[in-house]
Amino acid sequence: MGNLKVAVGSDHGGFEYKESIIKFLQSKNIDCIDIGTYSKDSCDYPVIAKKLCEKILSGEADRGILICGTGIGMSIAANKIKGIRAALCHDTFSARATRAHNNSNVLCMGERVIGECLALDIVDMWLKTDFEGGRHQKRIDMLEA
Ligand code: RB5
């Protein structure tokens, strides 16, 4: 988890958690890129999702975290982009399972859905869990095809 570069983005509905997540990553010496938004002014989540996913596809970031009010808009937007496997997680079990089984490269959460401490636990679990490969790789290949 030490060498990971993580892009973090939100719309206005996820702005507070984006800021907390960036502080959390910095406290663990994890490299991060702040994709924005940079204030609580209203903005459009598809724009942020696209910008973040492009960082992953270009190799500038290994993984990304997207926050909006529900996490749903961000996950819909991110999953439209080929090569992105975005997982909407509001519990640590799903966060672990989606890394182990789906090799998700984007984590989405809703600031209006869960508390901040749980959100940070989910980030921690999602970042430290490795993809298991094996039988799951075949299914990832099917998704990509
Ligand atoms: C913004 O009000 C809200 O719609 C957005 O943050 C997100 O929840 C969309 O899915």
Side-chain angles (χ1 to χ4, degrees), residues 33-69:
I33 309 171
D34 186 350
I35 300 294
T37 189
Y38 302 110
S39 78
K40 283 186 175 178
D41 294 345
S42 183
C43 67
D44 302 320
Y45 58 81
V47 174
I48 301 288
K50 184 165 184 272
K51 204 172 151 191
L52 181 136
C53 292
E54 281 167 353
K55 294 282 181 205
I56 296 174
L57 297 177
S58 70
E60 286 170 81
D62 301 300
R63 293 201 230 155
I65 300 173
L66 285 168
I67 316 293
C68 64

Side-chain angles (χ1 to χ4, degrees), residues 81-85 105 137 139-145:
I81 299 171
K82 192 168 168 58
I84 297 299
R85 293 174 302 282
N105 49 11
Q137 184 58 53
R139 295 161 187 162
I140 304 297
D141 294 342
M142 290 168 87
L143 287 175
E144 296 305 318

Side-chain angles (χ1 to χ4, degrees), residues 11-13 45 68-70 72-73 112:
D11 70 355
H12 53 290
Y45 58 81
C68 64
T70 59
I72 297 170
R112 297 173 188 158

